[in-house]
Amino acid sequence: MSRALLVVDVQNDFTEGGALGVTGGSALARRITAFLGRHADEYDLIVASRDWHHGDDDNGGHFAGPEGPDYETTWPVHCVAGSPGAEYHPDLDTEPVDVHVYKGQGTPDYSAFQARTEEGRTLPDVLAEHRVVTIDIVGIATDHCVRATALDARAAGFDVAVYDDLVTGVDPGRSARALEEIRTVGGHVDHSDMDEGLANPGGAVL
């Protein structure tokens, strides 16, 4: 009966200055690192996911064509495998991460449950090997990959919690709806203890 932490897509292209930079992404990387400093030893497994797209095709229509992106189902080129944009944000401490998984290799993936290790193991396989029953989720973006990952985790029967202060989204309204959708399917939306003792509670200042 194990507990896992899933860190979703804290990558350069999803933080300020990246191809699809989300406001607050860099601060979030530091905040997740601080959370890991306090809590990493409470998890039996820590997994980090990354978009890891092909650079020579449209990844199943995920990358926009000449008509340009609609920012709902088609996107600018981002997180191309091996590129600086696909790397973890430098302020995210990946030392505690046990398993790294990669998604979107030629396909328009959002959920980390579609990801695989370098050896080809799926995320569900990894979780099963470690007998995980509970998953806490943090990362980017609340209204896209965090949402998809949490919904897939619930559909697979896991007890799921998303920390609302350890995620950040593209659109505030859509992000709020995503969290409510997670609640609707039986997931939990919790708040971490990262504001305790901070000079500016509520701000992503770490």
Side-chain angles (χ1 to χ4, degrees), residues 132-204:
V132 170
V133 297
T134 300
I135 302 175
D136 294 343
I137 299 174
V138 302
I140 304 172
T142 313
D143 42 346
H144 293 285
C145 295
V146 168
R147 170 189 173 274
T149 299
L151 294 179
D152 277 357
R154 281 298 300 141
F158 293 96
D159 184 15
V160 175
V162 175
Y163 284 114
D164 61 4
D165 61 318
L166 295 176
V167 293
T168 190
V170 176
D171 177 82
R174 218 166 36 220
S175 295
R177 290 191 293 274
L179 294 177
E180 186 56 38
E181 188 176 3
I182 292 164
R183 291 188 186 97
T184 298
V185 298
H188 310 285
V189 178
D190 296 332
H191 199 81
S192 80
D193 63 354
M194 293 313 299
D195 291 334
E196 295 178 9
L198 296 183
N200 181 26

